Structures are given as structure tokens and as C-alpha cells.
Amino acid sequence: MILHDIVKESQEKDHPVARVIHRNEHFKVIGLSFKKGTELKEHVAHKPTTLIVTEGEVVYSEGDTERILLPRDIQVIPVEKPHAVRAIKDSLCFLTQG
């Protein structure tokens, strides 16, 4: 039910919605829902992180580089490197951290 809830909530917000789906002492899985046009502004990941797109289309930006990610695309996010994610379409993604 968590994924349905975050998708519904993201449609009512002007920013992405994230919820932890699973965690243990070493690893975390986060569901991340974007409404078209919303973005996670530039930030850094403090742990090894991977972005997995399951629905929609997002742009991953890191420095001067941009990469369009489609369903089933995976982006490894370097630790402590500034990056941002913007939704081209309504999108559902997973982040794995740890």
C-alpha cells in the first residue's frame, strides 16, 4: 500500500514524495514518486545509493552531465557528489542505500 499512497500524495504536492519501504541496520529501500515537473533539488548522498526508475521518465543531473532515465534504467549515485533529479513525466522510482 505504501507505493499507492506516495503516488497519490505526490499528485497533490509540488515536490516529490519519499517513504522508506524497507530498512535494516545496513540497507534502506525508499519509494520515490514525482509529479511531472517536480524535482529533487541538488543534494548529496552520504551512503552508496542507486536510483531505479520503474515508471515514467526523469532527468538525473550531476555537474554538467544530464541523463534521461526511463523505466528499468538504473543510475548509480556517487557518495558526496552533488546531483539532482527532475521528472519529465509522472514517475515512480526506488532508491537503495547502503
Side-chain angles (χ1 to χ4, degrees):
M1 233 16 201
I2 291 173
L3 295 178
H4 292 288
D5 294 341
I6 65 172
V7 168
K8 181 179 177 184
E9 186 178 344
S10 71
Q11 294 305 305
E12 301 165 357
K13 305 279 184 179
D14 59 354
H15 57 80
V17 174
R19 297 286 181 272
V20 175
I21 294 170
H22 174 77
R23 88 169 46 184
N24 65 32
E25 61 186 286
H26 304 290
F27 194 77
K28 183 167 35 175
V29 178
I30 300 166
L32 182 59
S33 182
F34 294 83
K35 179 171 63 176
K36 178 182 176 179
T38 60
E39 70 177 309
L40 286 176
K41 296 195 183 292
E42 190 171 79
H43 62 285
V44 297
H46 302 294
K47 297 180 180 182
T49 301
T50 302
L51 174 67
I52 305 162
V53 179
T54 59
E55 296 177 15
E57 188 173 339
V58 300
V59 176
Y60 173 83
S61 303
E62 185 182 298
D64 294 334
T65 303
E66 286 192 345
R67 179 176 176 217
I68 295 175
L69 301 174
L70 303 171
R72 296 179 299 280
D73 282 343
I74 295 173
Q75 176 67 50
V76 174
I77 300 171
V79 174
E80 304 300 334
K81 186 136 188 181
H83 63 280
V85 181
R86 177 176 43 87
I88 297 171
K89 298 179 179 178
D90 290 352
S91 300
L92 180 64
C93 304
F94 290 97
L95 287 172
T96 62
Q97 293 183 326

